[in-house]
Amino acid sequence: MQSTGGHPKYLLCEISFASPNGWQHVEEKKLHRSILEAIQKAHGDFGVACCAVSFAVKYLNTYTGILLLRCRKAHYRLLWSTLAFIHQLGKKETCAITCIHVGGTIRTCQKFLIGYNRQQLLRKLPTCKSEAERTALQEAVRSCTLQEDVVSASEEDSN
Amino acid sequence: MAVFVDLNIRQTSDKNLLRKTIEIAAHLGYSTIAVNYVIEFQDKKQNFIKPIPVNDLFNSLPIVQGKSKPIRVLNRLTVVVSDAVQCIELRATSPHIRLYDIVAVLPKTEKLFHTACMTLDVDIICITVTEKQPFHFRRPPVSGAIERGIFFEIIYSHATKDSTMRRYTISNSLSLMQICKGKNVVLSSGAEKPLELRGPYDIANLGLLFGLSEGDAKAAVSTNCRAVILHGETRKTAMGVVYTMKKNQTLLDKEEDEVTHPLSKRMKT
């Protein structure tokens, strides 16, 4: 990772689409471009200039809909307010982006994400239909630890 | 920690859509939501809609994210007034009003805005966000409303959809903030579809664009909304202190009664 100077902030976001087809066209580069376009719409040239300094899409998980954005600490509120205004991505796919955590390092975001994904598993527990499903889910909750990679922990969520 | 409240989820005839929206609200971390029934008196004999009981929507209410309690669903009535005659319906003794937990009003003219702030028995005064503010806010009615504990509501879902609406929302709310200084403001979604909802922290951040300070913006989605709900409760009770019910009817019987008869019928007898 190249150093950009200054302190960064990391925004951990959750994207939800109206239809599952929305995920087909989502990739890091396209997302990067469409978020910059949204900033241009909401805050103009000044906003783009402020955010673009160290703006990057650091992580994208299309299974769980998790997105990690990096931005300068001084201007992350500009970026954050833009995210709330995004209602479409790609070709007219309705979506909503909600920020679930703001962290100073990737590590704190990772810690939060593991806790968050474990919570999502627990929330699914009352909806289980069979006993086997239930034990599988409980096993998955127990296996969520910090030592594991974020990717593997969050992929369990989608199962 | 303060709990988050969204006081405006638009009622739709599609029950599945409403159910989905409430589920998403619980997922985002809202502890209480209010389903909004809007009435416009365009034709003179517009009937009041009876609120749908929550039991019709859910067998078991969805659990709030990060809490172990189920979400609380309230009913709210919004009356669009463009004529002073329509204010008669808003008396506290009106049988329709008693069915709802929260009563809001959307005044169309400056004169009605003044009466709404100073005399009407309502909890929320809505601010138009879909068009240019038709009148200027003046200090006496706004400070009068703040003194009476009435809150001003700004709806953000229009701002997410369209760039013109976004301009109106921001400029109208900035002109309100100039007068009320960030006090007594609630931010709510006005969402019809699940994806029009945003997370409570996103909204608190959005409040900065609407001219609120950081603390005021957070209060606008949490503590101010609680004050609105409590203000609504004072209508049903005597100043929120004394509550009356029929003599030989204990609280348990009352709950059973609620299940067997619809709320509207019980009130009339």
Side-chain angles (χ1 to χ4, degrees), chain B residues 87 121 136 203 207 220 229 256:
Chain B
C87 297
D121 186 20
H136 278 291
I203 298 317
I229 295 167
E256 280 172 13

Side-chain angles (χ1 to χ4, degrees), chain A residues 132-146:
Chain A
E133 209 176 303
R134 204 179 173 78
T135 43
L137 201 55
Q138 280 168 339
E139 197 55 48
V141 172
R142 268 184 232 112
S143 64
C144 294
T145 53
L146 192 61

